[in-house]
Amino acid sequence: MGGVTSSMAAKLAFFPPNPPFYKVITEKSSGLLLLDRFPHRENVDVLKLPTRRGNKIVAVYVRYPMATRTVLYSHGNAADIGQMYELFLDLSIHLKVNLMGYDYSGYGQSSGKPSEHNTYADIEAAYKCLEESYNTKQEDIILYGQSVGSGPTVYLAARLTRLRAVVLHSPILSGLRVMYPVKHTYWFDIYKNIDKIQFVSCPVLVIHGTSDEVVNCSHGKQLWELCQEKYEPLWIKGGKHCNLELFPEYIKHLKKFISTVEKPPSSRRNNHLRKSVDQSSSTTHRHHSSRRKSTDCFEAPRKSTCKRENLDFINELEPFALKFDINDDKIGKLRIPYEHMERSRRSVEYVEKPRTSIDMKPEWPRMSVDCIDRIGN
């Protein structure tokens, strides 16, 4: 049973680009690692990081002069750091932060296979590198998770008590809840953000599009309600799953968030907590012309009742597996043919039953945006 549900979960969650959007090469003169598709930059390091599960993942570290904060970015599904590279550079410049982005096991040129528990080991390896190789303090780190990337982001944030902040971009309540509005959490579900978000003690910014055709906006709104320290969320009117960074209010709101979390907690609470805003502008729609019409339908989670839940839907999930987080057409020069996307990767890893407390308490400090374009000022 465990192997079957783990395999099903992997099919629902992971779509690494095939072929990868980049290769890692070694420069002969210096011995430095480079991404073959992009020119070498003095402020960008390409790294291979070992994980506790025996894989080696590829990461990039972008430096910004005199930056005081570092963003650890967990990208969305059907993307790799080759596709994310230019966005990483833009975010570093606009937000004036250092930024580390990494590929999950089985994505890009990272070894291994995609799985929930591998992504947890992946983000731990990236965080460890920030601490040990770049002398980055926990209180100077902002975790950023988009879509599937919200899973490893919330997992790590629940264990680190001194983080500066967290950004959740089009996040999911859990993997199963993307497919079906279940009222309870089942042991075979993956990325149970709905149960872990309450243990995140730092400010949390939630960004979600009101027209998201892949992960319903209700996911972001429910996670925001469950946060301990709510920051003013951004509900982008008309925004879909793969185009939020094309709206001007996206970068403006991120800048304001970065500026706010620099202030003392008392000042943050007075000015920005427990507010909800809907951003809309007729001028913003011209910034996202290359969009696919939605073919995915999602209902808002139903209210809980006392009746026993019907589990027949589990057998019906297989035909709908390809609906979860499939990437929109890429924009501009980073466009990637749809037919090259690998629609499923099976995992043979066993998904354990949730432990009663150890996965929920902070312990050892130990899925992107899926489309890319240059951010407007």
Side-chain angles (χ1 to χ4, degrees):
M1 178 65 176
V4 173
T5 54
S6 176
S7 177
M8 181 181 71
K11 286 187 65 176
L12 294 176
F14 305 110
F15 298 92
N18 186 25
F21 202 72
Y22 69 97
K23 292 182 179 179
V24 177
I25 59 176
T26 302
E27 189 177 51
K28 293 182 179 180
S29 60
S30 65
L32 294 175
L33 295 178
L34 304 174
L35 301 184
D36 69 338
R37 193 174 285 246
F38 307 99
H40 172 60
R41 292 175 177 264
E42 292 295 330
N43 67 321
V44 177
D45 296 338
V46 179
L47 310 162
K48 284 191 175 181
L49 309 176
T51 76
R52 60 178 171 81
R53 294 175 68 88
N55 297 320
K56 283 192 175 182
I57 62 171
V58 180
V60 294
Y61 180 81
V62 184
R63 296 183 191 83
Y64 185 85
M66 306 301 291
T68 59
R69 304 294 174 228
T70 298
V71 171
L72 177 53
Y73 198 114
S74 300
H75 63 68
N77 217 347
D80 60 33
I81 60 173
Q83 293 163 281
M84 298 298 301
Y85 184 78
E86 292 192 7
L87 179 64
F88 289 165
L89 297 177
D90 283 344
L91 286 177
S92 176
I93 293 170
H94 284 283
L95 303 180
K96 299 179 180 179
V97 297
N98 302 318
L99 187 147
M100 174 172 279
Y102 66 99
D103 266 339
Y104 311 121
S105 298
Y107 277 67
Q109 298 297 322
S110 296
S111 66
K113 293 183 178 181
S115 76
E116 177 189 16
H117 293 286
N118 273 345
T119 62
Y120 294 159
D122 300 337
I123 195 172
E124 288 169 3
Y127 174 78
K128 182 180 179 181
C129 177
L130 288 178
E131 279 197 320
E132 297 182 355
S133 299
Y134 295 98
N135 298 315
T136 308
K137 297 179 180 179
Q138 181 184 147
E139 51 268 31
D140 293 331
I141 293 176
I142 299 170
L143 299 185
Y144 190 117
Q146 193 274 343
S147 190
V148 167
S150 65
T153 294
V154 173
Y155 163 85
L156 185 61
R159 285 160 170 73
L160 302 179
T161 59
R162 303 191 311 277
L163 280 174
R164 176 61 55 172
V166 169
V167 179
L168 299 178
H169 177 141
S170 304
I172 63 175
L173 287 168
S174 73
L176 190 57
R177 285 175 172 86
V178 175
M179 302 303 303
Y180 192 88
V182 295
K183 300 181 287 291
H184 308 287
T185 298
Y186 296 97
W187 68 268
F188 54 83
D189 201 356
I190 64 173
Y191 298 134
K192 306 177 189 69
N193 294 337
I194 189 173
D195 298 325
K196 299 176 184 178
I197 191 66
Q198 61 184 306
F199 299 104
V200 177
S201 57
C202 61
V204 178
L205 164 63
V206 179
I207 303 173
H208 216 122
T210 61
S211 300
D212 194 320
E213 74 285 11
V214 177
V215 179
N216 191 278
C217 189
S218 61
H219 286 243
K221 291 183 177 181
Q222 190 170 343
L223 285 173
W224 182 78
E225 290 291 346
L226 294 171
C227 291
Q228 282 189 38
E229 190 170 352
K230 302 175 178 66
Y231 181 83
E232 177 185 354
L234 178 62
W235 314 126
I236 298 182
K237 182 167 269 189
K240 295 193 174 183
H241 193 65
C242 299
N243 67 352
L244 300 189
E245 64 275 67
L246 303 180
F247 289 78
E249 55 264 42
Y250 165 81
I251 196 65
K252 291 179 182 178
H253 205 76
L254 274 176
K255 286 181 179 179
K256 184 171 72 170
F257 178 63
I258 299 296
S259 176
T260 300
V261 297
E262 297 285 343
K263 301 174 183 178
S266 58
S267 177
R268 295 201 302 262
R269 290 192 185 93
N270 291 338
N271 295 329
H272 295 285
L273 295 186
R274 298 186 175 277
K275 294 180 181 179
S276 178
V277 294
D278 284 56
Q279 300 286 347
S280 63
S281 173
S282 59
T283 61
T284 62
H285 294 287
R286 66 172 178 262
H287 292 278
H288 50 92
S289 59
S290 179
R291 295 181 294 169
R292 183 188 62 190
K293 293 185 178 180
S294 173
T295 58
D296 302 327
C297 299
F298 295 90
E299 300 177 1
R302 296 176 294 184
K303 295 182 178 180
S304 177
T305 65
C306 296
K307 296 181 180 180
R308 182 180 179 87
E309 188 163 9
N310 183 358
L311 301 182
D312 291 342
F313 71 89
I314 295 176
N315 295 326
E316 301 173 1
L317 286 176
E318 186 84 10
F320 299 96
L322 296 179
K323 286 186 178 180
F324 182 37
D325 223 18
I326 292 181
N327 193 20
D328 276 355
D329 291 341
K330 300 298 180 289
I331 296 176
K333 66 179 180 180
L334 295 182
R335 193 180 300 272
I336 179 174
Y338 176 84
E339 57 270 22
H340 286 305
M341 184 184 303
E342 182 175 342
R343 297 185 174 231
S344 67
R345 288 286 295 268
R346 293 190 175 273
S347 171
V348 295
E349 296 189 9
Y350 177 76
V351 179
E352 298 177 355
K353 296 185 178 181
R355 293 172 285 185
T356 55
S357 62
I358 190 169
D359 286 340
M360 299 303 177
K361 295 181 179 180
E363 53 181 38
W364 171 81
R366 304 205 217 223
M367 148 149 314
S368 155
V369 243
D370 294 337
C371 69
I372 309 301
D373 197 5
R374 305 286 290 188
I375 303 178
N377 289 321

